[in-house]
Amino acid sequence: MSLQGKTAIVTGAGRGIGKAVAIKLAQEGANVVVNYSSSSTYAEKTAEEIKSFGGNAVICKGDVRSMEDVEQMVKTAVDHFGPVDILVNNAGITKDTPIVKMSEKDWDDVLDINLKGAFNCTKAVAKMMMKRRSGKIINITSVVGVMGNKGQANYAASKAGMIGLTKSTAKELASRNITCNAIAPGFIQSDMTDQLSDAVREEYLKSIPLKRLGTPEEVAAIIAFLVSDAANYVTGQVLHIDGGLVM
Ligand code: NAP
């Protein structure tokens, strides 16, 4: 499952799932651009960890909402490591509140980062991948994009949108040997799920057949497989990593 010499961009790779993905891809031999928007210290730590085992990483500040930032991030990747082979659209936020109380800003912020950000990054690497007739794109959606969730209309809409984006990208780019798949994690240990109250967490655990939260490393392992040659014939899929929550 070697990714030796491949250039990978992982958005939001300073913490949580993005960090685990960056480290796993580097362990498989990829040269990784560790993107962050505000947590420079965390991004530096991710890059240091990669370098500690002999991997290659460069950190790159950039807000995925901004096409200018995204183009700069792609330029950083090309300048340091060469054309982009792998893009993991991981950056994401939540701003949970019931629809009747949800501000326009809370709606826009979540849609802009989660969905428009993934579109911006995909657009920025697509031409390069098309010319080279190869590439792997992973969009991190969520079980919430499939099931919906109370208090998460903005988040669920953004994640459902990412599934549409994934399938359209897969269809548009397949003739150039580029695959695009989505990962739908359930409840994974991270800063995002640390915000849940104990009561909510207990309630969720009851509905997960495997009776535990997943780890970022368990998500990263599946992504490393999907961006490897072993998964060359898989595209347009939504793979659930959720302990059996959705089946
Ligand atoms: P997290 O720990 O809160 O990390 C979110 C990451 O997104 C951070 O690295 C953050 O970087 C980055 N980010 C936020 N806004 C950004 C922007 N405008 N531009 C670039 N990067 C930005 O979240 P996580 O749990 O690891 O989640 C990662 C992804 O998995 C998200 O897309 C999330 O929706 C999805 N997911 C998570 C779970 C779960 O249970 N944890 C379940 C399903 C799906 P900065 O700190 O630098 O802003």
Side-chain angles (χ1 to χ4, degrees):
M1 215 169 65
S2 172
L3 303 176
Q4 203 59 46
K6 304 266 186 199
T7 302
I9 294 177
V10 183
T11 64
R15 8 186 217 113
I17 293 172
K19 176 180 182 177
V21 172
I23 289 171
K24 178 67 180 167
L25 299 190
Q27 282 169 344
E28 296 296 330
N31 303 316
V32 183
V33 174
V34 175
N35 160 257
Y36 69 98
S37 69
S38 56
S39 320
S40 62
T41 314
Y42 288 125
E44 275 158 19
K45 279 193 184 147
T46 303
E48 273 166 27
E49 201 167 326
I50 289 172
K51 287 173 188 167
S52 73
F53 57 76
N56 290 320
V58 62
I59 66 165
C60 181
K61 182 176 167 68
D63 185 334
V64 293
R65 285 173 291 192
S66 154
M67 198 62 195
E68 206 183 324
D69 283 13
V70 167
E71 278 168 358
Q72 188 54 47
M73 177 173 76
V74 172
K75 187 174 181 310
T76 301
V78 174
D79 289 350
H80 280 79
F81 304 130
V84 179
D85 301 293
I86 297 163
L87 167 67
V88 181
N89 283 313
N90 166 78
I93 63 161
T94 51
K95 285 199 173 183
D96 299 349
T97 193
I99 292 171
V100 290
K101 289 188 182 160
M102 190 175 286
S103 67
E104 194 176 341
K105 185 174 178 337
D106 284 351
W107 174 270
D108 288 345
D109 284 350
V110 171
L111 268 289
D112 281 354
I113 292 177
N114 298 4
L115 183 55
K116 186 181 167 193
F119 160 73
N120 283 345
C121 296
T122 300
K123 185 174 176 185
V125 299
K127 269 194 192 152
M128 188 186 305
M129 288 181 172
M130 286 165 82
K131 266 195 202 146
R132 302 177 74 227
R133 290 188 148 59
S134 104
K136 304 266 196 250
I137 300 171
I138 301 290
N139 292 324
I140 307 207
T141 172
S142 166
V143 290
V144 168
V146 178
M147 304 190 303
N149 202 18
K150 283 191 273 184
Q152 290 198 305
N154 49 0
Y155 185 73
S158 73
K159 294 299 183 181
M162 284 181 91
I163 293 174
L165 173 66
T166 300
K167 293 180 181 181
S168 302
T169 307
K171 286 188 174 176
E172 272 189 39
L173 303 185
S175 64
R176 308 298 174 99
N177 195 35
I178 298 160
T179 65
C180 180
N181 291 288
I183 293 290
F187 293 94
I188 309 297
Q189 284 156 15
S190 76
D191 291 350
M192 198 174 265
T193 43
D194 284 348
Q195 293 166 16
L196 299 172
S197 68
D198 287 348
V200 172
R201 182 180 292 253
E202 281 310 308
E203 203 46 46
Y204 280 139
L205 283 175
K206 279 187 207 156
S207 56
I208 301 171
L210 286 178
K211 294 288 170 223
R212 65 173 177 86
L213 268 62
T215 66
E217 289 72 25
E218 286 170 320
V219 177
I222 303 294
I223 291 176
F225 164 70
L226 281 178
V227 301
S228 75
D229 286 348
N232 279 348
Y233 202 53
V234 181
T235 196
Q237 302 305 305
V238 183
L239 189 59
H240 291 255
I241 307 175
D242 62 7
L245 179 62
V246 175
M247 62 167 90

